[in-house]
């Protein structure tokens, strides 16, 4: 795979055989974010679990103290007073059966989906559309709730969901390259603490196998996972 000059120059700053501490890794990640737009700083964490087993699933949500730097678009499935509360809390689109139909028609202009419990009968029809995109509301992530207003406010404030993919890796954003070192560090530590706390009780052996930080368009920087075991 061929990379551009900026990527190649950035890669020269990184020792691929080294496991950095988080502070130095974040610093390198920001230095290699040289695109003309404000790149997202991403974290990719490989866990020593087997997601095929129900008792080794790792999934949850956490509010990053400094947000993600992204204007999050929130869709809410609710009706009546809950729909009104979601709108007042700042939801970008609110609906019930009509919103389900809109999404079935191909509309997907949102980043987070929230639903009141009574709407899940309708929302369940969207499993094949929302599921693969990681957008399906779930009680564990706090996106199926009677308190839709609070869920909207949290999503807007920087609440992110983390979950394993099929290769037992979690991929999440923790901010923008324009964030201060302290902002990125606080977000990183908050995420890691949440994932450490979510360790399955049945797991034997090493939990955090690898942690890699990367800007949107730049090379990866390996973080020493032993410090977070």
């Amino acid at each position: 795979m061929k990379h551009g000059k900026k990527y190649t120059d950035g890669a020269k700053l990184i020792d691929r055989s080294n496991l950095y501490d988080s502070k130095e890794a974040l610093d390198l990640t920001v230095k290699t974010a040289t695109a003309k737009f404000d790149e997202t700083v991403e974290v990719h964490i490989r866990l020593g679990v087997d997601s095929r087993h129900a008792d080794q699933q790792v999934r949850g949500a956490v509010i990053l103290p400094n947000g993600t730097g992204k204007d999050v678009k929130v869709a809410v499935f609710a009706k009546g007073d809950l729909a009104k509360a979601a709108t007042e809390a700042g939801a970008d689109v609110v609906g019930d059966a009509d919103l389900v139909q809109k999404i079935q028609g191909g509309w997907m202009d949102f980043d987070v989906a929230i639903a009141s419990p009574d709407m899940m009968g309708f929302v369940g029809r969207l499993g094949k559309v929302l599921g693969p995109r990681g957008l399906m509301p779930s009680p564990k992530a706090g996106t199926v709730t009677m308190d839709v207003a609070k869920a909207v406010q949290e999503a807007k404030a920087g609440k992110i969901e983390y979950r394993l993919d099929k290769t037992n890796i979690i991929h999440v954003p923790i901010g923008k390259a324009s964030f201060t070192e302290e902002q990125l560090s606080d977000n990183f530590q908050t995420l890691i603490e949440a994932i450490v706390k979510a360790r399955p009780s049945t797991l034997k052996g090493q939990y955090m196998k690898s942690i890699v930080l990367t800007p949107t368009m730049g090379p990866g920087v390996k973080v020493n996972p032993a410090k977070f075991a």
Side-chain angles (χ1 to χ4, degrees):
M1 182 177 178
K2 287 189 176 182
H3 293 291
K5 185 177 184 301
K6 288 183 178 180
Y7 182 102
T8 304
D9 289 344
K12 291 176 182 177
L13 300 174
I14 301 164
D15 180 355
R16 301 299 291 270
S17 65
N18 189 37
L19 294 176
Y20 294 92
D21 64 39
S22 59
K23 184 179 182 300
E24 192 173 4
L26 284 166
D27 183 54
L28 283 169
T29 302
V30 171
K31 281 182 179 176
T32 56
T34 55
K36 291 181 180 179
F37 62 93
D38 192 7
E39 295 184 55
T40 297
V41 176
E42 303 166 1
V43 185
H44 307 274
I45 304 169
R46 184 165 63 90
L47 299 180
V49 300
D50 187 342
S51 59
R52 293 173 297 178
H53 299 297
D55 62 355
Q56 290 194 28
Q57 285 291 332
V58 177
R59 181 179 182 180
V62 61
I63 299 175
L64 300 179
N66 301 296
T68 62
K70 180 180 180 180
D71 182 16
V72 179
K73 293 183 179 180
V74 181
V76 178
F77 299 92
K79 56 186 176 182
D81 290 342
L82 292 182
K84 182 181 177 183
T87 300
E88 291 175 349
D92 296 273
V93 60
V94 181
D96 44 65
D98 61 319
L99 181 53
V100 171
Q101 193 171 19
K102 188 175 181 179
I103 292 171
Q104 286 175 327
W107 181 81
M108 291 293 295
D109 189 21
F110 59 95
D111 305 298
V112 176
I114 294 164
S116 58
D118 61 313
M119 291 303 301
M120 287 308 291
F122 288 109
V123 181
R125 302 172 192 171
L126 300 173
K128 290 183 180 179
V129 179
L130 300 183
R133 292 174 171 83
L135 292 172
M136 192 67 182
S138 79
K140 194 164 187 179
T143 47
V144 176
T145 174
M146 286 297 290
D147 196 346
V148 292
K150 180 182 178 183
V152 170
Q153 290 164 352
E154 289 179 342
K156 291 283 187 179
K159 184 176 183 178
I160 59 166
E161 184 178 354
Y162 58 84
R163 59 188 298 182
L164 293 170
D165 67 8
K166 290 180 181 179
T167 59
N168 303 315
I169 298 175
I170 290 172
H171 311 270
V172 285
I174 59 163
K176 295 290 185 178
S178 60
F179 278 23
T180 65
E181 178 185 306
E182 185 177 8
Q183 286 175 320
L184 285 173
S185 180
D186 286 348
N187 281 358
F188 177 78
Q189 293 295 335
T190 299
L191 171 69
I192 294 295
E193 286 170 10
I195 293 175
V196 167
K197 195 177 290 185
R199 175 181 177 135
S201 58
T202 56
L203 178 66
K204 308 297 181 186
Q206 188 178 359
Y207 181 45
M208 296 240 179
K209 290 284 190 179
S210 69
I211 303 172
V212 177
L213 284 161
T214 175
T216 305
M217 304 294 289
V221 184
K222 297 177 184 176
V223 180
N224 187 354
K227 294 188 177 183
F228 307 104

